[in-house]
Amino acid sequence: MSAIYRREMGAFFTSGIAYVFLTVFWLVSGIFFFTGTIMSNTTNVANMFSSMFFVVLCLIPVLTMKLLSEEKKNKTDQGLLTAPISLWDIVLGKYFAALTLYIIAESIVFVYAFILNYLGEIAWTPLLGNYFAMLFLGAAFIAVGLFVSSLTENQMASAVVSLVLLFVLYLSEMLVSGFANGNWFKKGIYKIVTSVAFYSRYIEFTRGVFSLTSVLFFISVAFLFNFFTVKVLEKRRWS
Amino acid sequence: MIEVRNLTKKYGSKTAVNNISFKVEKGEILGFLGPNGAGKSTTMNMLTGYISSTSGEVLIDGTDILEEPKKAKSKIGYLPEIPPLYVDMTVDAYLNFMYDLKKCKLPRKAHLKDICTRCMLQDVRHRIIKNLSKGYRQRVGLAQALINNPPVLILDEPTVGLDPSQIIEIRTLIKKLGKRHTVILSSHILPEIQAVCDRIIIINRGEVAADGTADEIARDITNEHKMVLRIEGLTHTADDKREIADALRAVSGVKYVRADMEREKGIYDYDVETDGKTDVRRDINKLCAEKGWNILMLQLSDLTLEDIFLKITMDDGLNKQNDGKDDSSKPKIAIKRTQNGKLKAVQEDAEEKADENAEEGSADSSENNGGEE
């Protein structure tokens, strides 16, 4: 696992994806930080964090798009699958590499925190809570992106499909919001969709509620999709 | 060392590999031969655990590849048809990655240096793989397979894309490797297999068509020996032809005689088949001396590996098409053989009898033979 993790980290930087990802992430989050916090003369970072949901949603597919699709396209998966390692080693090595880069990117909020600390009083607890919420959100999204990447040989298809998938997950709540007061069937759908919703869970954190259920939810999603990815690789071998 | 039992792979209704069984002993170099699409790569992918088999089992040193994949895979070095190279890495970085991936315990620096020396990669160790030529990439692929000194090496067309001098280098390397490792290599280039391998398995349509050394296979395919004789009679007429043919038939050990075309004026060629046990050349010589005939030419035409290969892969196909109409299929084989002068033209003549096919009127093919390698 560590060999794959290190290679993948190296590949992020040699292929330039890391630079694009970090630049865009820091640029856009900087804009949100400036407009949401500095310009409104507040040390409340909730605004910034709620906007960051969309940055994460749009950028994670860039991070995950080539992780497995490129291996398949260049036939390098033959090297990995015939090496004395398990499929979990392969998937988790790649997963944690992407997660590491994501953590580097989102840790920029500490820089913002120090800026705020210099300008005024800052509430550290909600900031840390939000930081970890974003981390778990990303962990779940990366697993979804990695899963999509395992389905195709085409990087672009992988990126677009993950983006659409994440977007649908986000929009699903709004689609069913009218069902909240309907009959039992509509209520049932509403309940199911909202229970697997990402956005409202995340937004909860920015309002200062550190919900362990949601943390558990994100971790479960991450685990589940990594499990799916392993199954996809396994199925390819058996087909 | 490697044991394959009733290995079968089906893709839907299409059977890619059908019930293949064979064994490879330690230190043996086994050649896998077959036309494109015969199932060579599929078999190799199953041997290395890249894909699973539909049924049957693969044992590497007694370990089942599907039951204990990690243990079995650690014993295999695999060079797939397309080397699994990360093209944005340097050769050194890539080999180090494979070293980690294979959990190699050997001293890193010395081991990698040794491998690079063996694969002639010392000069390019710090270059990015993207910028290397096909030949160097192939060698990096081979180097990768050698990491951790696996007892079994599986090489899928290792010399594809190399230039002639590199081909010879790689062949020598594989021969050397055969002393320490058990090697399976596939190729559709016959002289290569002949030059390198102790044993040959010919695969056709997903089935083992022949198994053994080149000589054994030749014996299995045909237990007759053929020769072509050119005999000058006394009268230089067609009567000669009949008389000589009859006399040849009377020689003990001769199974079949056919008078061929008139090659020189009044002189005919005779195709003679023997039972394979008796050497009839001396008897024929005596016979001719008694009768006052002159032998102008005597040519043995035992099957070369190439003939065997074609016989197995093409006879099969033709018989299936013609539903066993042997007479009509014979001229077709003859045509295929001459066509094959082309296939032959790209390879060196490993066998001294390569000029045999020149009989079919493809003098240019033997010319090409000399020109290519």
Side-chain angles (χ1 to χ4, degrees):
Chain A
M1 189 171 103
S2 70
I4 292 178
Y5 172 82
R6 267 178 285 147
R7 197 209 79 79
E8 219 52 63
M9 283 310 282
F12 274 137
F13 284 93
T14 46
S15 68
I17 282 191
Y19 302 109
V20 173
F21 179 76
L22 292 176
T23 311
V24 176
F25 195 101
W26 288 343
L27 180 75
V28 178
S29 66
I31 293 170
F32 285 143
F33 171 65
F34 186 72
T35 55
T37 310
I38 304 264
M39 271 179 44
S40 31
N41 289 322
T42 166
T43 56
N44 181 2
V45 286
N47 266 342
M48 179 186 81
F49 275 109
S50 61
S51 315
M52 288 298 279
F53 180 86
F54 303 100
V55 184
V56 176
L57 184 128
C58 293
L59 282 179
I60 292 275
V62 176
L63 205 57
T64 58
M65 64 180 181
K66 77 180 191 75
L67 284 178
L68 282 160
S69 56
E70 205 185 33
E71 298 267 0
K72 196 180 175 193
K73 194 174 183 185
N74 295 340
K75 307 261 180 204
T76 44
D77 59 340
Q78 262 184 318
L80 297 182
L81 293 174
T82 56
I85 50 170
S86 71
L87 292 174
W88 277 104
D89 287 333
I90 299 172
V91 172
L92 289 183
K94 286 171 179 290
Y95 175 75
F96 283 121
L99 190 62
T100 308
L101 192 64
Y102 174 74
I103 290 173
I104 294 172
E106 71 149 349
S107 295
I108 190 77
V109 299
F110 290 115
V111 175
Y112 303 153
F114 283 114
I115 295 171
L116 286 181
N117 202 27
Y118 174 74
L119 295 171
E121 215 34 41
I122 181 167
W124 282 99
T125 337
L127 188 127
L128 278 176
N130 277 317
Y131 173 79
F132 283 108
M134 198 155 113
L135 198 158
F136 291 123
L137 177 77
F141 278 5
I142 289 170
V144 175
L146 186 60
F147 168 70
V148 174
S149 174
S150 74
L151 299 174
T152 168
E153 282 184 31
N154 187 322
Q155 284 186 37
M156 281 327 286
S158 161
V160 171
V161 171
S162 347
L163 183 63
V164 169
L165 191 63
L166 294 178
F167 215 73
V168 167
L169 281 174
Y170 157 64
L171 285 176
S172 58
E173 286 172 77
M174 291 161 205
L175 283 174
V176 296
S177 59
F179 286 8
N181 297 315
N183 56 23
W184 63 270
F185 178 70
K186 284 182 173 175
K187 264 188 181 161
I189 290 185
Y190 177 78
K191 225 171 171 185
I192 291 168
V193 172
T194 46
S195 63
V196 296
F198 282 71
Y199 184 66
S200 53
R201 282 181 192 281
Y202 176 71
I203 288 303
E204 228 176 51
F205 286 101
T206 63
R207 300 204 178 110
V209 186
F210 195 86
S211 150
L212 270 178
T213 0
S214 297
V215 170
L216 209 62
F217 171 78
F218 287 137
I219 293 175
S220 310
V221 169
F223 174 79
L224 195 69
F225 274 92
N226 278 330
F227 176 76
F228 287 159
T229 311
V230 170
K231 287 293 151 195
V232 167
L233 295 184
E234 204 168 286
K235 202 214 150 239
R236 199 186 291 159
R237 176 179 291 182
W238 285 92
S239 63
Chain B
M1 201 68 193
I2 305 170
E3 196 176 344
V4 174
R5 288 192 207 133
N6 308 97
L7 198 64
T8 302
K9 180 74 184 174
K10 286 183 182 156
Y11 291 107
S13 61
K14 193 188 170 297
T15 309
V17 171
N18 191 7
N19 207 16
I20 285 185
S21 302
F22 60 88
K23 251 185 178 181
V24 191
E25 299 302 329
K26 205 177 159 128
E28 201 173 16
I29 305 183
L30 175 78
F32 252 32
L33 197 59
N36 294 331
K40 290 179 304 223
S41 293
T42 313
T43 310
M44 295 199 142
N45 281 336
M46 282 191 283
L47 288 181
T48 52
Y50 177 58
I51 54 173
S52 67
S53 51
T54 310
S55 65
E57 52 186 353
V58 176
L59 300 177
I60 308 288
D61 206 6
T63 315
D64 192 304
I65 190 93
L66 292 175
E67 311 225 314
E68 286 180 88
K70 277 192 197 178
K71 196 176 161 204
K73 283 175 187 171
S74 65
K75 290 177 182 160
I76 301 176
Y78 182 35
L79 169 63
E81 203 170 355
I82 299 160
L85 306 176
Y86 293 100
V87 290
D88 50 4
M89 294 171 102
T90 63
V91 173
D92 239 5
Y94 174 68
L95 291 179
N96 271 300
F97 163 65
M98 289 310 286
Y99 178 96
D100 292 333
L101 196 67
K102 294 188 175 188
K103 302 187 178 99
C104 183
K105 295 281 186 298
L106 300 162
R108 183 188 291 259
K109 258 191 167 171
H111 184 52
L112 291 184
K113 195 174 171 216
D114 172 47
I115 284 173
C116 286
T117 320
R118 281 202 277 169
C119 298
M120 296 153 289
L121 284 169
Q122 306 97 314
D123 305 338
V124 297
R125 283 185 72 169
H126 298 290
R127 286 178 59 186
I128 292 173
I129 298 176
K130 202 175 354 192
N131 302 332
L132 294 181
S133 67
K134 179 99 175 64
Y136 271 110
R137 288 184 190 198
Q138 196 74 21
R139 286 194 244 171
V140 177
L142 188 60
Q144 160 273 127
L146 291 176
I147 286 176
N148 208 10
N149 277 333
V152 175
L153 275 179
I154 296 183
L155 313 172
D156 200 349
E157 309 202 345
T159 56
V160 161
L162 302 179
D163 67 40
S165 71
Q166 288 171 338
I167 289 181
I168 291 165
E169 279 168 13
I170 291 282
R171 273 187 210 165
T172 337
L173 177 63
I174 292 171
K175 276 206 132 173
K176 269 193 226 156
L177 292 172
K179 286 173 192 149
R180 276 206 263 166
H181 309 255
T182 306
V183 183
I184 297 186
L185 96 153
S186 81
S187 178
H188 51 253
I189 303 172
L190 300 138
E192 177 168 296
I193 294 270
Q194 233 166 356
V196 176
C197 299
D198 307 323
R199 209 175 110 210
I200 298 162
I201 287 182
I202 300 182
I203 293 191
N204 192 33
R205 293 157 191 272
E207 291 176 19
V208 173
D211 182 353
T213 63
D215 293 342
E216 279 169 10
I217 293 176
R219 231 178 293 140
D220 284 352
I221 294 300
T222 165
N223 47 11
E224 304 130 4
H225 288 264
K226 286 186 187 172
M227 60 179 84
V228 181
L229 281 160
R230 186 173 298 168
I231 300 175
E232 185 184 30
L234 298 167
T235 58
H236 286 217
T237 60
D239 293 339
D240 274 1
K241 188 165 103 174
R242 219 174 308 117
E243 198 185 333
I244 292 171
D246 287 343
L248 287 175
R249 271 185 205 113
V251 175
S252 76
V254 172
K255 266 176 65 185
Y256 171 77
V257 177
R258 187 172 67 96
D260 203 357
M261 285 166 63
E262 184 177 15
R263 295 288 174 179
E264 292 167 43
K265 200 173 167 11
I267 304 170
Y268 296 87
D269 277 9
Y270 305 88
D271 290 335
V272 177
E273 268 181 36
T274 71
D275 56 10
K277 288 167 216 146
T278 20
D279 192 348
V280 298
R281 287 176 297 177
R282 290 173 190 82
D283 292 344
I284 291 175
N285 200 13
K286 265 182 216 153
L287 172 81
C288 293
E290 280 166 20
K291 303 260 182 181
W293 301 329
N294 298 316
I295 296 178
L296 301 184
M297 185 188 84
L298 190 156
Q299 203 169 45
L300 293 174
S301 50
D302 281 343
L303 294 176
T304 61
L305 187 54
E306 212 153 278
D307 295 329
I308 297 164
F309 179 63
L310 285 173
K311 197 160 171 143
I312 289 172
T313 55
M314 297 206 166
D315 270 13
D316 203 30
L318 285 170
N319 284 344
K320 272 180 192 155
Q321 277 165 20
N322 293 343
D323 264 21
K325 273 186 271 169
D326 278 354
D327 294 301
S328 61
S329 73
K330 260 182 187 161
K332 277 191 185 169
I333 295 174
I335 293 165
K336 295 275 183 186
R337 273 198 189 170
T338 29
Q339 263 186 354
N340 194 58
K342 243 186 174 178
L343 193 141
K344 174 166 265 187
V346 261
Q347 295 138 16
E348 59 185 353
D349 343 331
E351 284 278 299
E352 69 274 19
K353 285 178 220 94
D355 53 351
E356 210 57 65
N357 285 4
E359 208 64 58
E360 302 288 346
S362 57
D364 52 340
S365 80
S366 49
E367 251 175 41
N368 286 346
N369 273 343
E372 281 301 315
E373 283 247 346

